[in-house]
Amino acid sequence: MITASNRAAAGVYPDRSGPVVADRLRAMGCSVLGPWVVPDGPPVGEALVRASDERVDAVLTTGGTGLTPQDRTPEETRALLSFEIPGVAEALRSAGREKGVPTAILSRGLAGVVERDGHRMIVVNLPGSRGGVSDGMDVLEQVLGHAIDQLGGGDHPRVNETGE
């Protein structure tokens, strides 16, 4: 769990979005490291490498996905990705838009897989707002466990002939 916020990292105000994500992950039964609060830019990439070194299954980032010159989370993430999972990023933007937030489509957040030193880790960039991360978690709660299972070699769940 990484929060990219220049002001929160500088102590101007507390991290408001990271705790929302951490609480939602814990409610899903996940162990959570962080949130690690870092300035946007290269510190995000450094935190992602640290998470990979700690062998975590998934990292959710908040913040740094907008259009300002300081918003560099997608660039730092993309530099580490072996491949993207575009449907996740699209679903996150769509969920915000469907909840009446037209600016959700401006998020440049990515989702993908980092492969380093024999370890594979899912990374998902969420927006920095509390509402945006809550909407994002509504999406991720439905697929994150399955994605992590597949990342480790798990197969798709089998459906019997009656569709159950």
Side-chain angles (χ1 to χ4, degrees):
M1 181 57 254
I2 299 167
T3 298
S5 170
N6 293 331
R7 290 177 287 181
V12 173
Y13 56 71
D15 174 15
R16 294 181 180 107
S17 59
V20 172
V21 175
D23 289 345
R24 296 279 297 265
L25 287 169
R26 286 187 193 99
M28 292 170 54
C30 299
S31 297
V32 178
L33 292 177
W36 300 334
V37 181
V38 300
D40 208 343
V44 173
E46 293 162 9
L48 288 169
V49 168
R50 175 181 166 199
S52 178
D53 289 346
E54 298 214 19
R55 314 298 266 192
V56 301
D57 293 324
V59 174
L60 305 184
T61 70
T62 69
T65 63
L67 303 178
T68 74
Q70 298 85 3
D71 290 327
R72 304 298 299 165
T73 297
E75 288 75 16
E76 293 295 324
T77 301
R78 182 173 280 120
L80 297 169
L81 293 180
S82 295
F83 59 91
E84 291 187 30
I85 311 170
V88 171
E90 293 163 8
L92 295 172
R93 285 185 280 276
S94 179
R97 190 187 72 235
E98 289 169 6
K99 290 198 174 180
V101 183
T103 56
I105 65 170
L106 297 177
S107 173
R108 298 180 309 111
L110 301 174
V113 174
V114 171
E115 297 175 309
R116 294 183 71 250
D117 301 323
H119 177 67
R120 301 175 82 203
M121 172 180 80
I122 295 172
V123 178
V124 178
N125 300 150
L126 296 169
S129 70
R130 290 180 62 172
V133 297
S134 181
D135 293 347
M137 289 306 299
D138 289 346
V139 171
L140 292 175
E141 284 172 343
Q142 301 173 52
V143 299
L144 188 59
H146 180 63
I148 291 169
D149 185 52
Q150 280 199 312
L151 198 63
D155 199 358
H156 295 283
R158 298 287 180 217
V159 178
N160 67 26
E161 292 176 13
T162 63
E164 297 175 25

